[in-house]
Amino acid sequence: MELNGVFIEDEYAEAFPNWACRVIITAINEKWAVNAATEATGFATSAIGCPCEAGIERILTPEETPDGRPGVAIMLFAGGKKKLKEQVVERLAECVLTSPTAAVFDGMPEAEERIDVKLHFFGDKFEHKVEVGGRQCWAIPIMNGEYIGEEEFGIVKGIAGGNFFIMGESVEAALEAAEKAVDAIKTCAGSITSFPVVASGSKVGSNAYKFMVATTNEKYCPSIRDQVPDTKVPEGVTCIYEIVIDGVDEAAIKAATKAGIEAAVTVPGIKRITSGNFGGTLGPYKFPLSEIL
C-alpha cells in the first residue's frame, strides 16, 4: 500500500511481553520536571544491554498532576516485576530525589499489581506523612525544602519491541521524518520510544562472533548494500532509522505506530516504511503495518 506517496511494505513488527510502570514527576517548573525525568530515564534504551527500557511518555499540565505543578510522565519497562521494582527504586532515589523541587506520584493508581518504593528512610527519622491531592505521601526534609513522594506504584503487563523503519533518500530526510514520528508518538498515551531514534538496528546473535548476543542488522545497512546478497535496502535509499515503541498494551502500540508513520510520510524524500521481525522467535505479539494503517 501507499501513504502520501510512500510505499508501505506488507510487514509486521514483532514484540514481546514486559512489565511496565508509569511515574509522574513534578517540579517548580517544566524545565526541572523534564530534567529529573531525563535523568531518571537515562541508559534505558534497549533490554539488550540496559537494565530496563524507559522514556518520557509526555509533558503534563498542572491540571493533570496531583500537586498542581508542571510535570512529566515517564514509563519504565523490564522483563520481570523484581527487576522493574529495582529500577524504579534506584532511578527515583538517585535521579529524582536529588533533583531540585522534584516530587513523584503513582502514574497507574488503578493498576491491581503494586510495587513498594520506600525512599522515606533517607529522612533518617525526620520524615513524615502528608496528603497531596488526596494521595498519601511521604515528606523527606532536604536542603531545598521537602521531597514529596508516593511509595506505592502500580504496574501492568506491557509490551516492548513494537517498531517501524523509515527509509530515506538522505540522512536529512530520514532524520526529519524520524523526529516528526517521535513527536507524534508523544501525543499517544501509554507508549514511549526509549531510544528515541535508532541508528544502529540490530539482529539477534551474530554471523561471526559467537560471544555477541546482538550485532548490526546488515540487511538494513545502506553502506554495504552491494555486499549483502539478501539486502533489504531498496535502490535510492541511503539512510534508515528505526523507531522502537514500548506500550502498556497492544492498542497503545498500534496507536503510536499509526501516528508515527502518518507523521513520517509527510517529509519529502521518504521512500519506504517497513518493520522488523525475527519470524516469531522474539515474541508472541505481531503488529502488521497494513492492519494498523
Side-chain angles (χ1 to χ4, degrees), residues 242-267:
E242 181 182 4
I243 306 297
V244 175
I245 304 167
D246 293 352
V248 294
D249 52 30
E250 291 182 83
I253 290 183
K254 288 179 180 178
T257 300
K258 186 174 189 295
I261 292 176
E262 288 179 344
V265 298
T266 64
V267 177

Side-chain angles (χ1 to χ4, degrees), residues 171-238:
V171 170
E172 291 79 8
L175 188 55
E176 180 182 349
E179 290 173 348
K180 287 184 179 295
V182 170
D183 287 343
I185 291 170
K186 285 180 180 178
T187 67
C188 301
S191 62
I192 61 164
T193 56
S194 61
F195 283 86
V197 177
V198 185
S200 58
S202 60
K203 65 177 181 294
V204 177
S206 167
N207 298 326
Y209 307 113
K210 292 183 179 180
F211 57 87
M212 292 293 291
V213 296
T215 53
T216 190
N217 198 341
E218 70 277 1
K219 293 180 183 180
Y220 291 97
C221 294
S223 65
I224 55 172
R225 181 179 181 276
D226 295 337
Q227 301 174 43
V228 181
D230 55 349
T231 182
K232 293 188 177 181
V233 182
E235 286 277 3
V237 169
T238 65

Side-chain angles (χ1 to χ4, degrees), residues 267-278:
V267 177
I270 300 307
K271 297 294 188 180
R272 185 173 298 217
I273 301 289
T274 188
S275 56
N277 61 74
F278 299 93

Side-chain angles (χ1 to χ4, degrees), residues 4 99 101 119 169 189 206 209 219 223 279 283:
N4 198 41
S99 185
T101 74
L119 303 184
E169 64 182 14
S206 167
Y209 307 113
K219 293 180 183 180
S223 65

Side-chain angles (χ1 to χ4, degrees), residues 27-240:
I28 193 170
N29 55 38
E30 184 178 304
K31 172 186 175 180
W32 281 106
V34 170
N35 184 80
T38 301
E39 291 292 331
T41 56
F43 189 54
T45 56
S46 170
I48 293 173
C50 299
C52 73
E53 296 184 3
I56 291 174
E57 179 200 28
R58 63 190 184 93
I59 306 297
L60 303 175
T61 65
E63 292 74 28
E64 297 177 290
T65 64
D67 61 359
R69 300 193 302 167
V72 178
I74 67 171
M75 297 189 71
L76 302 95
F77 292 78
K81 289 187 282 187
K82 182 175 182 292
K83 185 66 173 179
L84 181 60
K85 177 178 176 177
E86 291 173 352
Q87 286 302 304
V88 175
V89 171
E90 291 177 3
R91 289 165 187 270
L92 295 188
E94 299 300 323
C95 304
V96 185
L97 173 60
T98 58
S99 185
T101 74
V104 299
F105 303 95
D106 177 20
M108 292 181 173
E110 72 289 346
E112 294 182 5
E113 294 269 1
R114 320 290 296 171
I115 56 173
D116 294 324
V117 180
K118 297 186 182 300
L119 303 184
H120 69 268
F121 299 115
F122 183 76
D124 200 22
K125 286 290 188 180
F126 293 100
E127 70 275 7
H128 62 279
K129 290 184 177 181
V130 295
E131 183 176 308
V132 178
R135 302 183 182 211
Q136 292 299 312
C137 303
W138 282 93
I140 301 173
I142 57 175
M143 293 191 296
N144 76 181
E146 290 182 329
Y147 164 86
I148 305 296
E150 285 192 88
E151 294 203 336
E152 189 176 273
F153 291 81
I155 62 173
V156 298
K157 290 182 178 180
I159 302 170
N163 68 80
F164 61 90
F165 291 37
I166 300 169
M167 299 182 170
E169 64 182 14
S170 66
V171 170
E172 291 79 8
L175 188 55
E176 180 182 349
E179 290 173 348
K180 287 184 179 295
V182 170
D183 287 343
I185 291 170
K186 285 180 180 178
T187 67
C188 301
S191 62
I192 61 164
T193 56
S194 61
F195 283 86
V197 177
V198 185
S200 58
S202 60
K203 65 177 181 294
V204 177
S206 167
N207 298 326
Y209 307 113
K210 292 183 179 180
F211 57 87
M212 292 293 291
V213 296
T215 53
T216 190
N217 198 341
E218 70 277 1
K219 293 180 183 180
Y220 291 97
C221 294
S223 65
I224 55 172
R225 181 179 181 276
D226 295 337
Q227 301 174 43
V228 181
D230 55 349
T231 182
K232 293 188 177 181
V233 182
E235 286 277 3
V237 169
T238 65
C239 180
I240 299 174

